[in-house]
Amino acid sequence: MDTGDLRSWVETLTLPPPSLSDNTADQERLQSALQKRLGSETIHLALDLVVDLPTQLRRWEYALRCAVVRDTDGWHVCGLTSAGDPAPLCGLAIDLGTTRIVLSLIDLESGQVLQEDSFDNPQGIIGPDVLTRIHYAEEKDGLHHLNRLVVDGLNDMTAALCRKAHIGRDRIVLLALAGNTTMTHLFMGLDPHWIIREPYIPVVNRPGIPSARALGLDVATGARIIIFPNVGSYFGGDLIAGILFSELDRREGTALLVDVGTNAEVILGNQHWLIGCAGAAGPALESGVSSIGTTARPGAIDQVRISGEERHFELHTIDGAPPVGICGSGFIDLAAQLFASGMIDIQGRFVSDVCGPRLTSSDGEQRLIICEAESTDSGKALTISQADLDSLIRSKAAMYTILETITEAVGMTPGQLETFYVAGTFGAFIDPRSAITIGMLPDIPLEYYRPLGNSSLEGAKKVLTQPASLMRLNPIRDRITYMELNVNQAFMNRFSAARFLPHTNPHLFPTVSLRRPLS
Amino acid sequence: MDTGDLRSWVETLTLPPPSLSDNTADQERLQSALQKRLGSETIHLALDLVVDLPTQLRRWEYALRCAVVRDTDGWHVCGLTSAGDPAPLCGLAIDLGTTRIVLSLIDLESGQVLQEDSFDNPQGIIGPDVLTRIHYAEEKDGLHHLNRLVVDGLNDMTAALCRKAHIGRDRIVLLALAGNTTMTHLFMGLDPHWIIREPYIPVVNRPGIPSARALGLDVATGARIIIFPNVGSYFGGDLIAGILFSELDRREGTALLVDVGTNAEVILGNQHWLIGCAGAAGPALESGVSSIGTTARPGAIDQVRISGEERHFELHTIDGAPPVGICGSGFIDLAAQLFASGMIDIQGRFVSDVCGPRLTSSDGEQRLIICEAESTDSGKALTISQADLDSLIRSKAAMYTILETITEAVGMTPGQLETFYVAGTFGAFIDPRSAITIGMLPDIPLEYYRPLGNSSLEGAKKVLTQPASLMRLNPIRDRITYMELNVNQAFMNRFSAARFLPHTNPHLFPTVSLRRPLS
């Protein structure tokens, strides 16, 4: 049987009871019943599940529900309960972000989400980014410490979700985890040292479906965890999850998926081919480098409008809370509005005449007041500097160059794309119009842009609830041609050209010129 | 590649070093090199071996020796070292007997035995036989205690062997264990409760090749242990090992293999068919039930000759030590000689006239003096009672009935057998002539009898040193038709007929009648 025929990872079985003429062992009795149901492949039933099997089978009168999962080497039994047990066998989907970790507790049979919650990646206390953590992992006990931080964090949040759902942690029999290559390595306790050193070699590409308890997770005996494969050091399982979720690999038309963070990861393709690349975009697009940069949390400015001759600032914050800072999408909005209102020029420099009294100077540095002290959460004014803007422009130029390079590599123009997916929190909050205005995203019709939400989490949920989708993971991974973004002269030329607002070549952004009445 | 083409379980490999154009992960790099060598099946490389792989590969400059083993789900890597490492990768063969455990440390590449030693099964402190231990396993913590006893014992003996061989325990990467079904279950921590209860169901039939460390053995990270499969509760892996070692499954001619102990286990067959059965033979044939019964150890009487009109007793002891008791094979010799000399009749009863002063009486019980007090180790006379003889005769009758039943079931007579293997210590010490004299073994030409030695250990050594033989284990197991020895009226009639010396039907034992000049 193909997984395509499975409605869920849980099978209900009634075994023929043993007799003198059928003295097959308990383990083999279950295996052979599963084999009849699932096909002739090997049925793995690990020792830790076998230990209690004799008692269970007799107590359950040979009628049981059995959670299975299919790996390259056959089927693995990952959880057992009686046929009549009213409690569900559960799955746990994990989006293992560098900054934030999201967990979703799922009823494996109905596919229903029982609980969902998120927490900051506890490795943040070591350093905010992948690089700091990799360097820390090289210190004595560093790797072990990083591993413990994330595993303990996962166990705590899992316990909290289970409490809220009124189920035991031993009901979680199948997990799925999607994260970038470094986060996945740290979770598995694997040394990330070589990930950042030429020629950039991860320890594993296909972690497979190991025992969840062997990795320190406090879940059911026998539980297994689907760890999304990576294509390389810079193209992780989170992206594979995004492809799976967006179904980009199954469409006739070509689509592009971009995940924006410190790294910009891009995948372009359709049902016939997939090409991926990743490049440093700088931190400005995520939480920002400016003193007022923040992640998307309550009070973060996520939308900015500058209107009228007086250049009145309208700020929107997440949850309407008093402003605490500005998140990546807010910063892009701000830059677009500053440019559209003429307050910054095509090089992103403050235009003093237009900025007026909002432009202040301290310690020889020009700063633009975004929000006056009396309106902010801290009572201090929120300002941005020229350096902040320069950083944003470098980031948007890098992003655009990556997008331009990959589409040109396949002989396409952005206008030929059917869909342009923007993943993550960034994708959910960003206004594509603003991103186009500053020349970060290509100038294609707005309706082509599609926010994808937390595609890493959604991909993980998908393999837990739609068995057939698990079989797509490795084929997707294997189909991806990874394009190494060699930072050569051609790339640098493109990058330089993209360091203007929106670009040195205005023909690439026809709608932006049309929309600039204020300049 | 088939395992038939492998000279040993160790492969020497040189991996292509990573480059920008070949950024495959370390794990996949090794897997794909092994796949090229071994074939397209899945190559399993467990996480515990992957952890150190990045450092090792770079230190070894990508040249390595790799121990592998093949299971039904593909190849498993079980040990790694550098190509130039002078120390061997080792195997450990284990004969897990109820009474005695034998270990053999082997160089996996050369197949050479480095060290070999044995020790009493530490579970003996709980009880000497399988039944006592199964009942003990049902008590609180009983199973855990039995498991710890055997695992700790194995670890201690392994450490001692390694010290003598001047190698670290972390050089042991592949193990093979053959034992009866109960011993195997206790070793794996599996509940043997149902083994002795109708319909006699083991927990597992095919334990496969699990992680050795997961089972508590203190050997190399990643080491795996081949656990011989069983056919049922009463036909264990030790018998499968015997078949593998004797090559009984590959011969044109039909052979019989008997393993004599508390249970008599018998396998009959050739390259076309295999039929097995097992039945209780009583303890008399192993260490005996008499007060002077002992295992085959220094001082055990293993040969007896009674000569002349005076019926002079000549006793041979193991290592020539002062007599401490009589072992199973010695007891058979004694009974044969007592019968041949007319000291017991065809019902096994003492003939007072012939026994003379050796026959004493105390507490209303007749006892025959085998060895006078002044010659024994303890200073007390060694004697046997009528009850001891009755017990032996029941055991020999059971054994003969089992042999008769299985050969008749396939329409053969014992004379049609090509070879009659007798396994174990018993097989090594027994005099077939004596066994025939008392009608325990069929009256066929003596040259057909072949002692097989410790076939359980030899089978385990064989799968470690001859990769192709491992692939025969499951097929042998699957080919065996297990014949349930239903104790019905026909069986009981045969049993009753066999309770005479040598048998109620003297035509079955023509040479015994000829050899009885003394009666």
Side-chain angles (χ1 to χ4, degrees):
Chain A
M1 155 168 309
D2 194 51
T3 44
D5 304 324
L6 291 185
R7 215 179 44 78
S8 84
W9 288 118
V10 181
E11 290 290 317
T12 304
L13 296 168
T14 304
L15 312 185
S19 66
L20 275 177
S21 62
D22 173 13
N23 68 345
T24 302
D26 293 324
Q27 180 185 37
E28 280 75 7
R29 186 171 301 275
L30 176 54
Q31 284 172 321
S32 92
L34 278 169
Q35 216 155 29
K36 258 191 204 142
R37 183 72 61 88
L38 299 169
S40 62
E41 283 167 293
T42 306
I43 308 283
H44 296 265
L45 184 58
L47 192 63
D48 48 5
L49 280 175
V50 173
V51 166
D52 293 323
L53 193 63
T55 315
Q56 289 171 336
L57 285 185
R58 286 160 183 86
R59 178 151 33 90
W60 300 338
E61 294 174 336
Y62 300 94
L64 63 155
R65 303 213 301 285
C66 183
V68 293
V69 65
R70 190 162 169 235
D71 206 345
T72 50
D73 61 352
W75 296 88
H76 293 258
V77 176
C78 53
L80 295 168
T81 194
S82 72
D85 181 358
L89 288 171
C90 292
L92 184 70
I94 304 170
D95 161 35
L96 188 64
T98 306
T99 308
R100 195 90 185 146
I101 298 176
V102 194
L103 267 66
S104 186
L105 182 68
I106 294 167
D107 178 334
L108 276 182
E109 282 157 287
S110 69
Q112 196 196 337
V113 173
L114 304 176
Q115 287 289 333
E116 197 163 295
D117 207 345
S118 67
F119 64 108
D120 283 339
N121 188 326
Q123 294 172 342
I125 62 164
I126 304 300
D129 54 54
V130 161
L131 214 62
T132 323
R133 297 185 202 169
I134 292 180
H135 288 308
Y136 181 78
E138 288 153 14
E139 294 177 22
K140 186 170 147 53
D141 290 331
L143 174 58
H144 177 72
H145 185 205
L146 285 163
N147 176 256
R148 285 307 333 159
L149 281 171
V150 67
V151 170
D152 290 348
L154 286 170
N155 280 333
D156 290 347
M157 181 53 84
T158 303
L161 288 182
C162 287
R163 268 195 305 276
K164 280 192 248 172
H166 303 292
I167 61 152
R169 277 189 274 185
D170 60 354
R171 305 302 301 196
I172 300 176
V173 295
L174 186 60
L175 300 87
L177 176 143
N180 65 46
T181 305
T182 302
M183 287 309 110
T184 305
H185 273 55
L186 294 177
F187 165 71
M188 297 179 76
L190 298 175
D191 188 356
H193 180 88
W194 300 100
I195 285 181
I196 52 165
R197 284 164 176 91
E198 207 180 303
Y200 315 111
I201 308 296
V203 183
V204 293
N205 289 140
R206 295 167 216 253
I209 312 180
S211 153
R213 280 161 71 112
L215 291 168
L217 296 180
D218 193 4
V219 289
T221 299
R224 299 190 78 91
I225 179 163
I226 300 162
I227 301 182
F228 278 62
N230 65 69
V231 180
S233 290
Y234 296 108
F235 200 96
D238 47 352
L239 271 285
I240 308 277
I243 297 167
L244 184 77
F245 176 58
S246 68
E247 303 265 319
L248 185 141
D249 61 310
R250 298 183 125 183
R251 298 257 178 68
E252 186 59 45
T254 304
L256 187 146
L257 189 163
V258 59
D259 194 352
V260 183
T262 306
N263 265 307
E265 289 138 357
V266 182
I267 184 87
L268 179 67
N270 52 43
Q271 60 176 270
H272 304 294
W273 50 267
L274 293 169
I275 177 164
C277 72
L285 303 181
E286 204 170 29
S287 60
V289 284
S290 73
S291 52
I292 63 166
T294 180
T295 51
R297 62 187 174 107
I301 299 166
D302 62 345
Q303 287 174 33
V304 179
R305 287 292 166 269
I306 303 177
S307 53
E309 281 295 318
E310 302 80 27
R311 281 143 180 114
H312 175 69
F313 279 42
E314 278 176 61
L315 306 176
H316 180 273
T317 62
I318 295 176
D319 293 352
V324 294
I326 191 162
C327 68
S329 55
F331 200 10
I332 288 163
D333 233 26
L334 172 65
Q337 290 289 310
L338 290 174
F339 180 55
S341 65
M343 293 172 79
I344 58 174
D345 63 17
I346 62 162
Q347 290 186 72
R349 296 191 186 277
F350 293 127
V351 179
S352 313
D353 293 354
V354 188
C355 289
R358 278 189 181 268
L359 194 64
T360 61
S361 182
S362 69
D363 300 333
E365 191 189 36
Q366 286 191 314
R367 301 194 74 93
L368 189 76
I369 297 169
I370 307 304
C371 185
E372 298 289 351
E374 60 265 28
S375 309
T376 70
D377 185 66
S378 66
K380 283 186 194 163
L382 297 177
T383 63
I384 58 158
S385 68
Q386 186 61 55
D388 294 339
L389 275 173
D390 291 349
S391 167
L392 176 72
I393 287 170
R394 274 197 304 278
S395 286
K396 80 95 188 172
M399 168 66 86
Y400 185 79
T401 309
I402 293 166
L403 293 172
E404 190 179 40
T405 305
I406 193 169
T407 40
E408 281 199 21
V410 296
M412 291 183 80
T413 62
Q416 294 173 295
L417 298 174
E418 194 185 80
T419 315
F420 194 115
Y421 292 108
V422 188
T425 322
F426 188 85
F429 287 100
I430 197 180
D431 181 346
R433 196 186 315 259
S434 298
I436 294 169
T437 300
I438 64 165
M440 173 182 148
L441 294 182
D443 194 2
I444 56 174
L446 292 179
E447 59 271 27
Y448 288 18
Y449 284 103
R450 197 87 53 83
L452 203 55
N454 188 340
S455 53
S456 179
L457 182 70
E458 295 301 330
K461 281 155 85 166
K462 194 163 179 169
V463 295
L464 292 179
T465 53
Q466 300 176 24
S469 68
L470 178 62
M471 292 297 100
R472 283 166 58 201
L473 279 197
N474 280 328
I476 287 175
R477 186 222 164 269
D478 294 343
R479 279 181 53 203
I480 296 170
T481 306
Y482 184 73
M483 194 171 85
E484 193 63 55
L485 280 182
N486 287 312
V487 182
N488 53 24
Q489 196 52 49
F491 186 91
M492 286 312 292
N493 290 346
R494 278 187 181 152
F495 176 67
S496 300
R499 286 181 67 176
F500 288 81
L501 299 177
H503 197 273
T504 47
N505 179 359
H507 298 300
L508 290 172
F509 291 83
T511 71
V512 177
S513 314
L514 289 174
R515 280 207 308 265
R516 275 194 76 204
L518 292 172
S519 72
Chain B
M1 153 167 311
D2 193 50
T3 44
D5 304 323
L6 290 186
R7 214 181 45 79
S8 83
W9 288 119
V10 180
E11 290 288 318
T12 304
L13 295 169
T14 305
L15 313 185
S19 66
L20 275 176
S21 62
D22 173 14
N23 68 345
T24 302
D26 293 323
Q27 180 185 36
E28 279 76 7
R29 186 171 302 276
L30 175 54
Q31 284 171 321
S32 91
L34 279 169
Q35 216 153 31
K36 260 192 205 138
R37 183 72 60 88
L38 300 169
S40 62
E41 282 167 293
T42 306
I43 309 283
H44 295 265
L45 184 58
L47 192 64
D48 48 5
L49 280 176
V50 173
V51 165
D52 293 323
L53 193 63
T55 314
Q56 290 171 335
L57 285 185
R58 285 159 185 86
R59 177 151 36 90
W60 300 339
E61 295 173 335
Y62 301 94
L64 62 156
R65 302 213 301 285
C66 184
V68 293
V69 65
R70 190 160 169 237
D71 206 346
T72 49
D73 61 352
W75 296 86
H76 292 258
V77 176
C78 54
L80 296 169
T81 193
S82 72
D85 181 356
L89 288 171
C90 292
L92 185 69
I94 304 170
D95 160 35
L96 188 63
T98 305
T99 308
R100 195 89 185 147
I101 298 176
V102 194
L103 269 65
S104 185
L105 183 68
I106 294 167
D107 178 334
L108 276 182
E109 282 156 288
S110 69
Q112 197 197 334
V113 173
L114 304 176
Q115 287 290 333
E116 198 164 293
D117 206 348
S118 67
F119 64 107
D120 284 339
N121 187 328
Q123 294 173 343
I125 61 165
I126 304 302
D129 55 54
V130 160
L131 214 61
T132 324
R133 297 186 203 170
I134 293 179
H135 288 309
Y136 182 79
E138 288 153 14
E139 294 177 20
K140 189 170 145 51
D141 291 330
L143 174 58
H144 178 71
H145 185 205
L146 285 163
N147 176 255
R148 284 307 334 159
L149 281 171
V150 67
V151 171
D152 289 348
L154 286 170
N155 281 333
D156 290 347
M157 180 52 84
T158 304
L161 289 182
C162 286
R163 265 195 307 274
K164 279 191 248 171
H166 303 291
I167 62 153
R169 275 189 276 185
D170 59 355
R171 304 302 301 197
I172 300 176
V173 295
L174 186 59
L175 300 87
L177 177 142
N180 66 45
T181 305
T182 301
M183 286 308 111
T184 305
H185 273 54
L186 295 177
F187 165 71
M188 298 178 77
L190 297 177
D191 188 355
H193 180 89
W194 301 100
I195 284 182
I196 51 165
R197 285 167 173 89
E198 206 181 305
Y200 315 111
I201 307 296
V203 183
V204 294
N205 288 139
R206 294 167 219 254
I209 311 180
S211 153
R213 280 161 71 111
L215 291 168
L217 296 180
D218 192 5
V219 290
T221 298
R224 300 188 79 90
I225 178 163
I226 300 162
I227 301 181
F228 278 61
N230 66 68
V231 181
S233 290
Y234 296 109
F235 200 96
D238 47 352
L239 270 286
I240 308 277
I243 297 168
L244 185 76
F245 176 58
S246 67
E247 303 265 321
L248 185 142
D249 61 311
R250 297 183 125 183
R251 297 257 179 67
E252 186 59 47
T254 305
L256 187 145
L257 190 163
V258 59
D259 194 352
V260 182
T262 306
N263 264 307
E265 288 138 358
V266 181
I267 183 89
L268 178 68
N270 52 41
Q271 61 177 271
H272 304 295
W273 51 267
L274 293 169
I275 178 164
C277 71
L285 303 181
E286 205 172 28
S287 59
V289 283
S290 72
S291 53
I292 63 165
T294 179
T295 52
R297 61 185 173 105
I301 298 166
D302 61 345
Q303 288 172 34
V304 180
R305 287 291 166 269
I306 302 175
S307 54
E309 283 294 320
E310 302 80 28
R311 284 153 177 105
H312 175 68
F313 279 42
E314 277 175 62
L315 306 176
H316 181 273
T317 62
I318 295 177
D319 293 352
V324 295
I326 192 160
C327 68
S329 55
F331 201 10
I332 289 164
D333 234 25
L334 172 65
Q337 290 289 312
L338 290 175
F339 179 56
S341 66
M343 293 172 80
I344 56 175
D345 63 17
I346 61 161
Q347 290 185 73
R349 297 192 186 276
F350 292 126
V351 179
S352 315
D353 295 353
V354 187
C355 289
R358 280 189 181 265
L359 194 61
T360 61
S361 182
S362 68
D363 301 334
E365 192 189 35
Q366 286 192 312
R367 301 194 73 91
L368 188 76
I369 297 168
I370 306 304
C371 184
E372 298 289 352
E374 59 267 28
S375 309
T376 68
D377 185 66
S378 66
K380 283 187 194 161
L382 297 177
T383 63
I384 58 158
S385 67
Q386 186 60 56
D388 293 339
L389 274 173
D390 291 349
S391 167
L392 177 72
I393 287 169
R394 274 197 306 277
S395 286
K396 80 95 189 170
M399 168 67 85
Y400 185 79
T401 308
I402 292 166
L403 294 172
E404 190 179 42
T405 305
I406 193 169
T407 40
E408 281 198 21
V410 297
M412 292 182 80
T413 61
Q416 293 172 295
L417 297 175
E418 193 186 81
T419 315
F420 195 115
Y421 293 108
V422 188
T425 320
F426 188 85
F429 287 99
I430 197 179
D431 181 346
R433 196 186 314 258
S434 298
I436 293 169
T437 300
I438 63 166
M440 172 183 150
L441 294 182
D443 193 3
I444 57 174
L446 292 179
E447 60 270 27
Y448 289 17
Y449 283 103
R450 197 87 54 83
L452 203 55
N454 188 340
S455 54
S456 177
L457 183 70
E458 294 302 329
K461 281 155 85 167
K462 194 162 179 169
V463 295
L464 292 179
T465 54
Q466 300 176 24
S469 69
L470 178 61
M471 292 299 100
R472 284 166 56 201
L473 280 197
N474 280 327
I476 286 175
R477 184 218 166 273
D478 293 344
R479 279 180 56 202
I480 296 170
T481 305
Y482 185 73
M483 195 172 84
E484 192 62 55
L485 281 183
N486 287 312
V487 181
N488 53 26
Q489 196 51 50
F491 186 91
M492 286 312 294
N493 290 345
R494 279 189 180 149
F495 176 68
S496 300
R499 284 180 68 176
F500 288 81
L501 299 177
H503 197 273
T504 47
N505 179 359
H507 298 300
L508 290 173
F509 289 85
T511 70
V512 177
S513 314
L514 288 175
R515 281 206 307 266
R516 273 195 77 201
L518 293 173
S519 72

